[in-house]
Short mmCIF file of all heavy atoms in Angstrom, two decimals:
data_model
loop_
_atom_site.label_atom_id
_atom_site.label_comp_id
_atom_site.label_asym_id
_atom_site.label_seq_id
_atom_site.Cartn_x
_atom_site.Cartn_y
_atom_site.Cartn_z
N MET A 1296 104.61 97.93 77.36
CA MET A 1296 104.98 96.98 78.29
C MET A 1296 103.87 96.49 79.11
O MET A 1296 103.06 97.47 79.69
CB MET A 1296 106.10 97.62 79.26
CG MET A 1296 106.59 96.72 80.29
SD MET A 1296 108.17 97.04 81.05
CE MET A 1296 109.22 97.35 79.65
N PRO A 1297 103.84 95.34 79.42
CA PRO A 1297 102.69 94.71 80.20
C PRO A 1297 102.81 95.17 81.70
O PRO A 1297 103.93 95.43 82.09
CB PRO A 1297 102.79 93.23 80.22
CG PRO A 1297 104.17 93.07 79.75
CD PRO A 1297 104.72 94.21 78.98
N ARG A 1298 101.69 95.29 82.38
CA ARG A 1298 101.74 95.52 83.92
C ARG A 1298 101.63 94.20 84.59
O ARG A 1298 100.79 93.40 84.32
CB ARG A 1298 100.42 96.44 84.21
CG ARG A 1298 100.54 96.81 85.66
CD ARG A 1298 99.50 97.82 86.01
NE ARG A 1298 99.71 98.50 87.21
CZ ARG A 1298 99.10 98.25 88.29
NH1 ARG A 1298 98.35 97.17 88.40
NH2 ARG A 1298 99.61 98.88 89.43
N VAL A 1299 102.62 93.94 85.22
CA VAL A 1299 102.77 92.70 86.17
C VAL A 1299 102.58 92.96 87.66
O VAL A 1299 103.37 93.70 88.12
CB VAL A 1299 104.07 91.99 85.79
CG1 VAL A 1299 104.19 90.65 86.56
CG2 VAL A 1299 104.22 91.78 84.29
N VAL A 1300 101.61 92.30 88.15
CA VAL A 1300 101.45 92.51 89.68
C VAL A 1300 101.28 91.21 90.24
O VAL A 1300 100.75 90.30 89.83
CB VAL A 1300 100.09 93.26 89.89
CG1 VAL A 1300 99.85 93.45 91.39
CG2 VAL A 1300 100.14 94.67 89.24
N VAL A 1301 102.02 90.97 91.48
CA VAL A 1301 101.84 89.70 92.17
C VAL A 1301 101.05 90.11 93.37
O VAL A 1301 101.32 91.01 94.13
CB VAL A 1301 103.30 89.19 92.66
CG1 VAL A 1301 103.15 88.11 93.63
CG2 VAL A 1301 104.12 88.94 91.46
N LYS A 1302 99.97 89.27 93.57
CA LYS A 1302 99.14 89.50 94.73
C LYS A 1302 99.16 88.25 95.58
O LYS A 1302 98.65 87.11 95.10
CB LYS A 1302 97.65 89.80 94.34
CG LYS A 1302 97.39 91.09 93.58
CD LYS A 1302 96.02 91.41 93.23
CE LYS A 1302 95.87 92.65 92.47
NZ LYS A 1302 94.57 93.00 92.15
N SER A 1303 99.73 88.37 96.72
CA SER A 1303 99.88 87.17 97.59
C SER A 1303 98.50 87.05 98.34
O SER A 1303 98.02 88.09 98.97
CB SER A 1303 100.93 87.42 98.68
OG SER A 1303 102.21 87.58 98.10
N GLN A 1304 97.91 85.91 98.15
CA GLN A 1304 96.61 85.75 98.70
C GLN A 1304 96.79 85.36 100.24
O GLN A 1304 97.72 84.69 100.59
CB GLN A 1304 95.93 84.50 98.04
CG GLN A 1304 95.74 84.76 96.56
CD GLN A 1304 95.01 86.09 96.20
OE1 GLN A 1304 93.76 86.14 96.47
NE2 GLN A 1304 95.69 86.98 95.61
N GLN A 1305 95.73 85.86 100.98
CA GLN A 1305 95.85 85.48 102.44
C GLN A 1305 95.84 83.98 102.59
O GLN A 1305 94.82 83.32 102.06
CB GLN A 1305 94.67 86.12 103.13
CG GLN A 1305 94.58 85.84 104.72
CD GLN A 1305 93.72 86.55 105.43
OE1 GLN A 1305 92.84 87.31 104.91
NE2 GLN A 1305 93.65 86.42 106.84
N ASN A 1306 96.76 83.34 103.32
CA ASN A 1306 96.81 81.90 103.54
C ASN A 1306 96.98 81.21 102.24
O ASN A 1306 96.51 80.02 102.18
CB ASN A 1306 95.77 81.45 104.33
CG ASN A 1306 95.62 82.19 105.78
OD1 ASN A 1306 96.52 82.68 106.23
ND2 ASN A 1306 94.41 82.39 106.11
N GLY A 1307 97.41 81.74 101.14
CA GLY A 1307 97.39 81.04 99.78
C GLY A 1307 98.55 81.46 99.04
O GLY A 1307 99.61 82.07 99.48
N PRO A 1308 98.42 81.19 97.73
CA PRO A 1308 99.60 81.32 96.77
C PRO A 1308 99.84 82.75 96.36
O PRO A 1308 99.04 83.69 96.67
CB PRO A 1308 99.12 80.47 95.44
CG PRO A 1308 97.62 80.71 95.60
CD PRO A 1308 97.33 80.64 97.01
N ASN A 1309 100.84 82.97 95.49
CA ASN A 1309 101.13 84.21 94.96
C ASN A 1309 100.51 84.30 93.56
O ASN A 1309 100.86 83.34 92.73
CB ASN A 1309 102.65 84.52 94.71
CG ASN A 1309 103.28 84.84 96.01
OD1 ASN A 1309 102.81 85.52 96.98
ND2 ASN A 1309 104.53 84.14 96.30
N LEU A 1310 99.47 85.09 93.39
CA LEU A 1310 98.78 85.06 92.05
C LEU A 1310 99.59 86.19 91.12
O LEU A 1310 99.70 87.29 91.64
CB LEU A 1310 97.36 85.53 92.21
CG LEU A 1310 96.54 84.48 92.88
CD1 LEU A 1310 94.99 84.91 92.89
CD2 LEU A 1310 96.61 83.10 92.24
N VAL A 1311 100.08 85.80 89.92
CA VAL A 1311 100.65 86.75 89.02
C VAL A 1311 99.55 87.20 88.09
O VAL A 1311 99.03 86.36 87.41
CB VAL A 1311 101.84 86.04 88.30
CG1 VAL A 1311 102.56 87.04 87.43
CG2 VAL A 1311 102.89 85.37 89.41
N PHE A 1312 99.37 88.45 88.09
CA PHE A 1312 98.49 89.16 87.12
C PHE A 1312 99.30 89.79 86.06
O PHE A 1312 100.27 90.59 86.34
CB PHE A 1312 97.61 90.20 87.92
CG PHE A 1312 96.61 89.66 88.80
CD1 PHE A 1312 97.01 89.19 90.07
CD2 PHE A 1312 95.30 89.51 88.44
CE1 PHE A 1312 95.98 88.65 90.85
CE2 PHE A 1312 94.32 88.98 89.26
CZ PHE A 1312 94.63 88.61 90.44
N VAL A 1313 98.90 89.58 84.78
CA VAL A 1313 99.61 90.36 83.74
C VAL A 1313 98.35 91.19 83.02
O VAL A 1313 97.39 90.45 82.57
CB VAL A 1313 100.25 89.36 82.72
CG1 VAL A 1313 100.83 90.10 81.58
CG2 VAL A 1313 101.31 88.53 83.38
N ASP A 1314 98.56 92.32 83.01
CA ASP A 1314 97.54 93.26 82.44
C ASP A 1314 96.18 92.95 83.04
O ASP A 1314 95.18 92.90 82.27
CB ASP A 1314 97.56 93.20 80.94
CG ASP A 1314 98.77 93.94 80.40
OD1 ASP A 1314 99.39 94.77 81.04
OD2 ASP A 1314 99.03 93.54 79.16
N GLY A 1315 96.09 92.69 84.32
CA GLY A 1315 94.82 92.56 85.07
C GLY A 1315 94.21 91.12 85.04
O GLY A 1315 93.15 90.89 85.56
N LYS A 1316 94.97 90.19 84.31
CA LYS A 1316 94.42 88.82 84.15
C LYS A 1316 95.37 87.81 84.88
O LYS A 1316 96.60 88.03 84.84
CB LYS A 1316 94.20 88.44 82.75
CG LYS A 1316 93.15 89.09 81.98
CD LYS A 1316 93.00 88.53 80.62
CE LYS A 1316 91.94 89.38 79.88
NZ LYS A 1316 91.81 88.90 78.57
N VAL A 1317 94.81 86.92 85.66
CA VAL A 1317 95.62 85.95 86.27
C VAL A 1317 96.49 85.17 85.26
O VAL A 1317 95.77 84.48 84.39
CB VAL A 1317 94.87 84.99 87.25
CG1 VAL A 1317 95.76 83.92 87.86
CG2 VAL A 1317 94.15 85.83 88.36
N SER A 1318 97.77 85.13 85.42
CA SER A 1318 98.57 84.40 84.60
C SER A 1318 98.95 83.02 85.19
O SER A 1318 98.96 81.95 84.42
CB SER A 1318 99.90 85.24 84.30
OG SER A 1318 100.81 84.41 83.51
N THR A 1319 99.31 83.01 86.49
CA THR A 1319 99.60 81.82 87.20
C THR A 1319 99.63 81.94 88.61
O THR A 1319 99.53 83.08 89.10
CB THR A 1319 101.08 81.31 86.73
OG1 THR A 1319 101.29 80.05 87.11
CG2 THR A 1319 102.10 82.38 87.35
N ALA A 1320 99.51 80.87 89.26
CA ALA A 1320 99.53 80.93 90.83
C ALA A 1320 100.79 80.15 91.28
O ALA A 1320 100.97 78.89 90.95
CB ALA A 1320 98.34 80.11 91.32
N LEU A 1321 101.64 80.78 92.04
CA LEU A 1321 102.95 80.26 92.47
C LEU A 1321 102.79 79.92 93.95
O LEU A 1321 102.26 80.73 94.74
CB LEU A 1321 104.07 81.31 92.26
CG LEU A 1321 104.30 81.71 90.80
CD1 LEU A 1321 105.34 82.82 90.72
CD2 LEU A 1321 104.66 80.49 90.04
N CYS A 1322 103.38 78.72 94.31
CA CYS A 1322 103.33 78.23 95.73
C CYS A 1322 104.24 79.13 96.65
O CYS A 1322 105.29 79.52 96.30
CB CYS A 1322 103.91 76.89 95.83
SG CYS A 1322 103.93 76.21 97.52
N ARG A 1323 103.67 79.49 97.79
CA ARG A 1323 104.46 80.27 98.78
C ARG A 1323 104.44 79.54 100.12
O ARG A 1323 105.04 80.03 101.08
CB ARG A 1323 104.22 81.73 98.86
CG ARG A 1323 102.86 81.94 99.47
CD ARG A 1323 102.85 83.54 99.71
NE ARG A 1323 101.49 83.85 100.26
CZ ARG A 1323 101.20 84.74 101.13
NH1 ARG A 1323 102.28 85.55 101.54
NH2 ARG A 1323 100.06 85.07 101.55
N CYS A 1324 103.73 78.38 100.09
CA CYS A 1324 103.68 77.66 101.30
C CYS A 1324 104.90 76.57 101.47
O CYS A 1324 105.25 76.22 102.53
CB CYS A 1324 102.38 76.92 101.53
SG CYS A 1324 102.26 75.41 100.58
N GLY A 1325 105.42 76.20 100.39
CA GLY A 1325 106.57 75.27 100.28
C GLY A 1325 106.16 73.78 100.13
O GLY A 1325 106.92 72.98 100.21
N HIS A 1326 104.83 73.58 100.18
CA HIS A 1326 104.42 72.05 100.24
C HIS A 1326 103.78 71.62 98.94
O HIS A 1326 103.43 70.45 98.88
CB HIS A 1326 103.35 72.07 101.39
CG HIS A 1326 103.87 72.20 102.65
ND1 HIS A 1326 104.61 71.20 103.43
CD2 HIS A 1326 103.92 73.41 103.43
CE1 HIS A 1326 105.01 71.70 104.49
NE2 HIS A 1326 104.57 73.04 104.63
N SER A 1327 103.76 72.37 97.91
CA SER A 1327 103.16 71.89 96.57
C SER A 1327 104.06 70.84 95.97
O SER A 1327 105.23 70.91 95.99
CB SER A 1327 103.12 73.10 95.61
OG SER A 1327 102.78 72.62 94.30
N ALA A 1328 103.45 69.80 95.47
CA ALA A 1328 104.12 68.76 94.80
C ALA A 1328 104.44 69.20 93.32
O ALA A 1328 105.26 68.49 92.66
CB ALA A 1328 103.21 67.47 94.75
N GLY A 1329 103.93 70.30 92.87
CA GLY A 1329 104.12 70.82 91.50
C GLY A 1329 104.90 72.11 91.56
O GLY A 1329 104.65 73.01 90.56
N LYS A 1330 105.78 72.29 92.47
CA LYS A 1330 106.52 73.67 92.49
C LYS A 1330 107.17 73.97 91.26
O LYS A 1330 107.51 72.99 90.45
CB LYS A 1330 107.66 73.56 93.56
CG LYS A 1330 107.18 73.49 94.98
CD LYS A 1330 108.30 73.51 95.94
CE LYS A 1330 107.98 73.10 97.26
NZ LYS A 1330 107.91 71.49 97.47
N PRO A 1331 107.06 75.19 90.68
CA PRO A 1331 106.80 76.34 91.51
C PRO A 1331 105.37 76.70 91.65
O PRO A 1331 105.07 77.78 92.18
CB PRO A 1331 107.61 77.48 90.81
CG PRO A 1331 107.47 77.06 89.46
CD PRO A 1331 107.58 75.53 89.45
N TYR A 1332 104.45 75.90 91.06
CA TYR A 1332 103.00 76.22 90.91
C TYR A 1332 102.25 75.73 92.22
O TYR A 1332 102.57 74.64 92.67
CB TYR A 1332 102.41 75.61 89.71
CG TYR A 1332 103.17 76.02 88.49
CD1 TYR A 1332 103.97 75.16 87.82
CD2 TYR A 1332 103.08 77.39 88.14
CE1 TYR A 1332 104.74 75.60 86.70
CE2 TYR A 1332 103.84 77.79 86.99
CZ TYR A 1332 104.74 76.90 86.27
OH TYR A 1332 105.37 77.30 85.26
N CYS A 1333 101.25 76.39 92.63
CA CYS A 1333 100.28 76.08 93.70
C CYS A 1333 99.53 74.83 93.15
O CYS A 1333 99.03 74.89 92.14
CB CYS A 1333 99.47 77.30 94.04
SG CYS A 1333 98.17 76.82 95.25
N ASP A 1334 99.39 73.84 94.04
CA ASP A 1334 98.47 72.63 93.74
C ASP A 1334 97.36 72.61 94.70
O ASP A 1334 96.67 71.56 94.75
CB ASP A 1334 99.25 71.46 93.57
CG ASP A 1334 99.82 70.91 94.98
OD1 ASP A 1334 99.67 71.64 95.94
OD2 ASP A 1334 100.52 69.84 94.95
N GLY A 1335 97.30 73.62 95.57
CA GLY A 1335 96.13 73.57 96.61
C GLY A 1335 96.52 73.00 97.94
O GLY A 1335 95.72 73.01 98.86
N THR A 1336 97.73 72.47 98.05
CA THR A 1336 98.07 71.84 99.33
C THR A 1336 98.17 72.77 100.47
O THR A 1336 98.05 72.39 101.74
CB THR A 1336 99.54 71.17 99.12
OG1 THR A 1336 99.45 70.33 98.05
CG2 THR A 1336 99.94 70.42 100.35
N HIS A 1337 98.38 74.20 100.12
CA HIS A 1337 98.36 75.05 101.35
C HIS A 1337 97.12 75.02 102.18
O HIS A 1337 97.18 75.21 103.44
CB HIS A 1337 98.41 76.54 100.66
CG HIS A 1337 97.34 76.83 99.93
ND1 HIS A 1337 97.44 76.63 98.42
CD2 HIS A 1337 96.08 77.48 100.17
CE1 HIS A 1337 96.16 77.09 97.94
NE2 HIS A 1337 95.54 77.60 98.95
N ALA A 1338 96.05 74.55 101.66
CA ALA A 1338 94.90 74.46 102.54
C ALA A 1338 94.98 73.22 103.53
O ALA A 1338 94.61 73.34 104.70
CB ALA A 1338 93.57 74.32 101.68
N LYS A 1339 95.48 72.13 102.99
CA LYS A 1339 95.71 70.88 103.79
C LYS A 1339 96.63 71.19 104.95
O LYS A 1339 96.43 70.73 106.08
CB LYS A 1339 96.17 69.81 103.00
CG LYS A 1339 95.23 69.07 102.10
CD LYS A 1339 95.83 67.88 101.46
CE LYS A 1339 95.06 67.54 100.27
NZ LYS A 1339 95.84 66.54 99.31
N VAL A 1340 97.77 71.81 104.70
CA VAL A 1340 98.76 72.23 105.63
C VAL A 1340 98.48 73.41 106.52
O VAL A 1340 99.13 73.69 107.34
CB VAL A 1340 100.21 72.36 105.07
CG1 VAL A 1340 100.59 71.04 104.33
CG2 VAL A 1340 100.29 73.49 104.18
N GLU A 1341 97.25 73.96 106.23
CA GLU A 1341 96.69 75.17 106.99
C GLU A 1341 97.90 76.22 107.02
O GLU A 1341 98.15 76.89 108.05
CB GLU A 1341 96.29 74.79 108.41
CG GLU A 1341 95.22 73.80 108.39
CD GLU A 1341 94.64 73.36 109.81
OE1 GLU A 1341 95.22 73.93 110.79
OE2 GLU A 1341 93.82 72.49 109.89
N PHE A 1342 98.36 76.55 105.81
CA PHE A 1342 99.32 77.63 105.66
C PHE A 1342 98.74 78.90 106.10
O PHE A 1342 97.64 79.27 105.68
CB PHE A 1342 99.83 77.77 104.20
CG PHE A 1342 100.74 78.76 103.83
CD1 PHE A 1342 101.94 78.95 104.40
CD2 PHE A 1342 100.26 79.79 103.02
CE1 PHE A 1342 102.88 80.00 104.13
CE2 PHE A 1342 101.12 80.90 102.63
CZ PHE A 1342 102.46 80.91 103.26
N LYS A 1343 99.53 79.72 106.89
CA LYS A 1343 99.04 81.02 107.24
C LYS A 1343 100.02 82.20 106.97
O LYS A 1343 101.24 82.04 107.29
CB LYS A 1343 98.88 81.07 108.85
CG LYS A 1343 97.91 79.97 109.39
CD LYS A 1343 96.47 80.27 109.07
CE LYS A 1343 95.63 79.23 109.71
NZ LYS A 1343 94.43 79.09 108.94
N ALA A 1344 99.47 83.08 106.21
CA ALA A 1344 100.27 84.32 105.83
C ALA A 1344 99.36 85.42 105.40
O ALA A 1344 98.34 85.15 104.88
CB ALA A 1344 101.21 83.92 104.82
N PRO A 1345 99.80 86.63 105.57
CA PRO A 1345 98.96 87.65 105.25
C PRO A 1345 98.94 88.04 103.74
O PRO A 1345 99.83 87.61 102.99
CB PRO A 1345 99.58 88.88 105.93
CG PRO A 1345 101.05 88.57 106.13
CD PRO A 1345 100.98 87.11 106.16
N ALA A 1346 97.89 88.76 103.32
CA ALA A 1346 97.79 89.12 101.91
C ALA A 1346 98.88 90.26 101.67
O ALA A 1346 99.23 90.92 102.60
CB ALA A 1346 96.44 89.64 101.68
N HIS A 1347 99.30 90.38 100.52
CA HIS A 1347 100.33 91.43 100.04
C HIS A 1347 100.21 91.54 98.59
O HIS A 1347 99.86 90.67 97.90
CB HIS A 1347 101.67 90.91 100.55
CG HIS A 1347 102.71 91.99 100.34
ND1 HIS A 1347 103.53 92.00 99.28
CD2 HIS A 1347 103.10 92.90 101.16
CE1 HIS A 1347 104.31 93.11 99.47
NE2 HIS A 1347 104.08 93.65 100.47
N GLU A 1348 100.58 92.90 98.15
CA GLU A 1348 100.58 93.08 96.70
C GLU A 1348 101.82 93.82 96.33
O GLU A 1348 102.29 94.85 97.03
CB GLU A 1348 99.37 94.14 96.38
CG GLU A 1348 99.32 94.31 94.86
CD GLU A 1348 98.07 95.16 94.47
OE1 GLU A 1348 96.95 94.76 95.12
OE2 GLU A 1348 98.01 95.82 93.78
N THR A 1349 102.46 93.28 95.32
CA THR A 1349 103.67 94.00 94.78
C THR A 1349 103.59 94.21 93.29
O THR A 1349 103.33 93.32 92.54
CB THR A 1349 104.95 92.98 95.01
OG1 THR A 1349 105.01 92.73 96.33
CG2 THR A 1349 106.24 93.58 94.61
N VAL A 1350 103.90 95.36 92.86
CA VAL A 1350 103.86 95.68 91.32
C VAL A 1350 105.32 95.46 90.99
O VAL A 1350 106.35 95.90 91.47
CB VAL A 1350 103.55 97.19 91.17
CG1 VAL A 1350 103.69 97.40 89.66
CG2 VAL A 1350 102.23 97.36 91.62
N ILE A 1351 105.34 94.46 89.87
CA ILE A 1351 106.71 94.14 89.50
C ILE A 1351 107.18 94.91 88.28
O ILE A 1351 108.17 95.47 88.13
CB ILE A 1351 106.81 92.49 89.03
CG1 ILE A 1351 106.34 91.72 90.11
CG2 ILE A 1351 108.07 92.24 88.45
CD1 ILE A 1351 107.24 91.65 91.34
N LEU A 1352 106.28 95.13 87.27
CA LEU A 1352 106.52 96.01 86.05
C LEU A 1352 105.39 96.83 85.87
O LEU A 1352 104.22 96.40 86.03
CB LEU A 1352 106.77 94.95 84.88
CG LEU A 1352 108.03 94.33 84.73
CD1 LEU A 1352 107.94 93.39 83.46
CD2 LEU A 1352 109.20 95.31 84.59
N GLU A 1353 105.65 98.03 85.36
CA GLU A 1353 104.54 99.00 84.93
C GLU A 1353 104.88 99.52 83.63
O GLU A 1353 106.05 99.79 83.33
CB GLU A 1353 104.10 100.03 85.81
CG GLU A 1353 103.37 99.45 87.05
CD GLU A 1353 102.72 100.49 87.88
OE1 GLU A 1353 103.39 101.25 88.65
OE2 GLU A 1353 101.59 100.68 87.82
S1 FES B 1350 100.65 78.06 98.20
FE1 FES B 1350 99.31 76.51 97.42
S2 FES B 1350 100.40 74.68 97.56
FE2 FES B 1350 101.70 76.07 98.30
#
C-alpha cells in the first residue's frame, strides 16, 4: 500500500505526497481558478496559514 501524506505549506497549498514524491498541489486558500488544484493565487491574495502534516495512508 502506498504511503500518502498531505503537507500543508505555510501560506500555501496542500501538497500530496505518494511514497515520498509530490503527486499534486491542492488549493486551500479558496481563490484558485483551477480548483481543486493550486494555481499560485494564494501569493497574490496573501493567504496566511500555518504549516501542517497529516498522514492519510501508511
Ligand atoms: S493555495 Fe494556491 S491557489 Fe489556493
Side-chain angles (χ1 to χ4, degrees):
M1296 177 160 311
R1298 184 170 197 267
V1299 180
V1300 179
V1301 176
K1302 295 183 180 181
S1303 301
Q1304 304 300 291
Q1305 183 173 4
N1306 306 329
N1309 291 320
L1310 297 183
V1311 180
F1312 290 80
V1313 179
D1314 290 336
K1316 293 184 181 175
V1317 176
S1318 172
T1319 192
L1321 299 175
C1322 177
R1323 71 173 175 144
C1324 76
H1326 295 280
S1327 174
K1330 291 184 196 79
Y1332 306 105
C1333 171
D1334 68 357
T1336 303
H1337 59 269
K1339 285 188 202 164
V1340 300
E1341 298 182 4
F1342 176 66
K1343 302 291 182 207
H1347 187 264
E1348 180 172 323
T1349 304
V1350 176
I1351 304 297
L1352 284 175
E1353 283 193 287

